[in-house]
Amino acid sequence: MDIINTLSNQKDLEIEIKIGRFYSGNQFSADVSPVIYHKLLNSLKGNKNKSKSIVCLNKGIRTEFFLNNKNDIMETIQTKKTNIKKIDLVEKNIRISIMREIPINSTISNDTGCFRYKERVSIEKDIWRYDFTKIYDIDRKMDFKSFLEETK
């Protein structure tokens, strides 16, 4: 994986190793069974953090609203993601995605197209962070307030 070694010292990079399944050649789905999900999650030791968020997209800027248990916004993070490289290990059902994530400070619009709800457990150990994320996508984008109503 020379590309990973070459890019590892660059700023604002995210290297994701996704476990899932390939369909029809290179069509990838990051779905894993609940059994595998929990086996992997329970096998790692380290500092665990839980979060839930709503992801919205507007003009290429991704806005993620992090919510508390009452669905109040605790933090908002905006990024511009650019795909750099995708490495498919079809025989292993693994996809490696290398992206540049640049933090953005812009005006947050309430009419942003929200399309994803995430529940994440992050485990930090040494220099690594392992994210175990349950993702719920919707077919149509909607404004934040309507999306929040849908998740209740």
Side-chain angles (χ1 to χ4, degrees):
M1 297 281 162
D2 290 335
I3 185 122
I4 293 174
N5 292 331
T6 302
L7 295 171
S8 63
N9 62 352
Q10 292 189 25
K11 269 186 85 172
D12 299 323
L13 280 188
E14 176 182 71
I15 301 171
E16 286 183 337
I17 301 172
K18 301 175 187 177
I19 301 170
R21 183 159 311 216
F22 285 92
Y23 299 94
S24 307
N26 69 348
Q27 183 71 16
F28 184 77
S29 174
D31 295 332
V32 295
S33 74
V35 172
I36 299 293
Y37 176 91
H38 288 288
K39 275 188 175 183
L40 288 170
L41 177 62
N42 294 329
S43 70
L44 290 170
K45 305 296 179 224
N47 298 327
K48 288 186 181 181
N49 296 304
K50 292 183 179 183
S51 66
K52 63 180 183 173
S53 62
I54 293 176
V55 180
C56 308
L57 190 64
N58 188 11
K59 298 179 183 167
I61 295 174
R62 180 182 295 251
T63 303
E64 190 161 1
F65 299 95
F66 290 88
L67 309 172
N68 64 16
N69 289 333
K70 295 180 180 178
N71 284 342
D72 297 321
I73 299 172
M74 297 181 343
E75 182 181 16
T76 303
I77 296 177
Q78 292 184 296
T79 55
K80 173 94 172 147
K81 282 191 173 192
T82 306
N83 291 322
I84 295 173
K85 180 95 172 148
K86 185 170 43 175
I87 302 165
D88 288 340
L89 305 174
V90 177
E91 66 285 348
K92 304 274 188 205
N93 283 317
I94 292 174
R95 171 170 279 172
I96 300 171
S97 299
I98 303 169
M99 295 168 280
R100 184 168 316 283
E101 285 191 353
I102 300 170
I104 302 290
N105 291 321
S106 68
T107 304
I108 297 171
S109 170
N110 286 336
D111 62 350
T112 301
C114 300
F115 65 97
R116 179 174 292 156
Y117 174 76
K118 298 192 311 189
E119 293 175 355
R120 173 175 285 162
V121 176
S122 296
I123 301 172
E124 294 185 23
K125 183 175 173 134
D126 302 322
I127 64 167
W128 298 98
R129 187 180 85 195
Y130 303 90
D131 291 333
F132 293 83
T133 310
K134 294 179 184 178
I135 296 175
Y136 306 92
D137 286 335
I138 61 167
D139 293 332
R140 65 192 193 329
K141 293 181 179 175
M142 58 181 64
D143 65 87
F144 177 78
K145 189 173 183 176
S146 298
F147 194 98
L148 197 56
E149 288 298 319
E150 290 278 325
T151 62
K152 288 185 178 179

